[in-house]
Amino acid sequence: MRSAAATAPADAPPHRGDRDGHDVLLVDGLAKRYGDVVAARSISFTAAAGAVTALLGPNGAGKTTTVECVAALRRPDAGTVRVLGRDPRDPALRARTGVMLQDGGLPAGAPALAVLRHVASLHGEPLDVGVLAASLGVDSFARTTVRRLSGGQRQRLALACAVVGRPDLVLLDEPSAGVDLAGRRSVWALLAGLRAAGVAVVLTTHSMEEVEALADEVVLIADGVVAARGSVAQLTGGGQDRLTFGAPAGLDLSALRGALPTSVVADEVRPGAYEVVPRGSGAIDPQVLATVTSWCAARAVMPRGLAVGTRSLADVVLELSGRNLLEAPSTAGPAPRRRRATGRRDRT
């Protein structure tokens, strides 16, 4: 499998976005509503060149709305969005921003490779179409019309169209949704190659595995605001063990806290969900486990699902949003009118 870095010809000039660490995208206080439904209340974050920034959160949190405002497909009601220091609607940014939405608006009757070649022809210095098509497996369905492609094949074609123009910023909404295992690996390889080339990659995803494999920065959005941000290690506590269990909500933890060593802390993180976590140099050891079970026994409480393990990214999302990332219903208002996600953006 070719890496994404190999998709650029050997004699190609350095990528315009090759400025690692510099902020390519600034979102400050972005707000957007659809009638009475608030999709984004006040979302703020940055995305740097040479980094993958993942937007996480349950359906309806405001992720897709944020991406559409950055891509100039929607206008925010309030706040500031700047791409390379400019308003996203600046025509000069069209060739410098690649966009892939969940419904990309690809021409249904055209063969896949012909679509990619056409998009490449709209750019002055596109990537080598043949190499890019091979890296994402588009060459395996090159002559199949878009309407006959599977969902995963469409995703790979849309991704290829979004990056073929060598953009400085790539906006990807669920890039590996519906893609099989082999295809997912090629997508991840491409994204890693974009990062290595200095591109700022912003993606929304429901895949914790994808975030853990790729993301340099995670922005957790819940109810239209940024609930937390940082690296995966920062958000999950760096891999320290914690003890978790379920029990009736509202238990008085004062006696448990008094019995535990000062190097750990007990809390009810959600109604009926309890955890004991270390702080400083503390650790979850057999004595801590025995203290918790003895406290439960003294109160005739059966701890449900008692477990010791590291905090996962999914745990963080659930704790901060209060909703299951995969099962929450969408409340972000009407489905947006989609535009072509061909790497060039229509005027709005």
Side-chain angles (χ1 to χ4, degrees), residues 27 30 40 43 45 55 62-71 81 221:
V27 177
L30 184 147
I43 293 176
F45 67 94
L55 306 185
K63 305 183 302 298
T64 296
T65 292
T66 298
V67 168
E68 290 176 340
C69 289
V70 173
V81 179
I221 300 175

Side-chain angles (χ1 to χ4, degrees), residues 32-341:
K32 181 68 180 178
R33 63 187 304 141
Y34 306 102
D36 295 332
V37 178
V38 178
R41 300 178 188 277
S42 181
I43 293 176
S44 301
F45 67 94
T46 59
V52 175
T53 302
L55 306 185
L56 285 184
N59 294 331
K63 305 183 302 298
T64 296
T65 292
T66 298
V67 168
E68 290 176 340
C69 289
V70 173
L73 299 178
R74 292 188 179 274
R75 293 190 182 188
D77 297 327
T80 300
V81 179
R82 290 291 180 267
V83 176
L84 295 168
R86 303 183 183 189
D87 188 297
R89 292 169 290 168
D90 188 330
L93 293 175
R94 291 178 184 172
R96 304 186 71 178
T97 306
V99 183
M100 174 189 173
L101 300 178
Q102 292 183 49
D103 297 314
L106 300 170
L113 189 58
V115 171
L116 181 56
R117 291 192 184 281
H118 171 70
V119 174
S121 72
L122 303 177
H123 297 274
E125 298 179 359
L127 295 176
D128 183 290
V129 170
V131 176
L132 178 59
S135 71
L136 286 174
V138 175
D139 56 348
S140 67
F141 49 87
R143 297 183 179 181
T144 306
T145 59
V146 170
R147 69 165 54 92
R148 295 183 179 277
L149 298 179
S150 68
Q153 289 171 335
R154 287 193 186 209
Q155 289 293 90
R156 284 183 277 164
L157 175 59
L159 175 58
C161 289
V163 306
V164 71
R166 299 179 189 264
D168 293 302
L169 171 66
V170 177
L171 306 169
L172 308 174
D173 200 358
E174 300 287 350
S176 63
V179 179
D180 61 21
L181 179 59
R184 190 177 305 123
R185 288 175 176 171
S186 66
V187 168
W188 291 4
L190 177 66
L191 298 185
L194 291 173
R195 173 174 55 194
V199 180
V201 179
V202 176
L203 65 89
T204 73
T205 181
H206 283 141
S207 169
M208 298 297 100
E209 183 184 8
E210 188 164 77
V211 175
E212 291 168 347
L214 295 172
D216 300 288
E217 179 85 355
V218 178
V219 179
L220 174 57
I221 300 175
D223 296 322
V225 298
V226 174
R229 61 177 296 184
S231 67
V232 172
Q234 289 170 335
L235 292 177
T236 59
Q240 284 185 309
D241 278 341
R242 63 174 186 155
L243 186 155
T244 60
F245 63 95
L251 293 176
D252 183 356
L253 300 179
S254 56
L256 176 60
R257 289 167 178 154
L260 288 168
T262 58
S263 59
V264 298
V265 59
D267 202 1
E268 184 177 12
V269 293
R270 297 184 310 281
Y274 298 86
E275 72 173 14
V276 180
V277 297
R279 59 184 179 185
S281 58
I284 304 300
D285 57 23
Q287 185 59 48
V288 169
L289 177 60
T291 300
V292 171
T293 55
S294 295
W295 176 84
C296 288
R299 286 155 183 79
V301 170
M302 175 63 73
R304 300 185 305 274
L306 189 147
V308 176
T310 58
R311 193 185 195 203
S312 71
L313 193 56
D315 292 328
V316 176
V317 173
L318 182 57
E319 290 163 12
L320 292 178
S321 71
R323 286 184 283 169
N324 189 305
L325 185 64
L326 300 178
E327 297 177 357
S330 176
T331 59
R337 178 171 60 90
R338 300 296 189 186
R339 299 177 182 270
R340 287 187 180 182

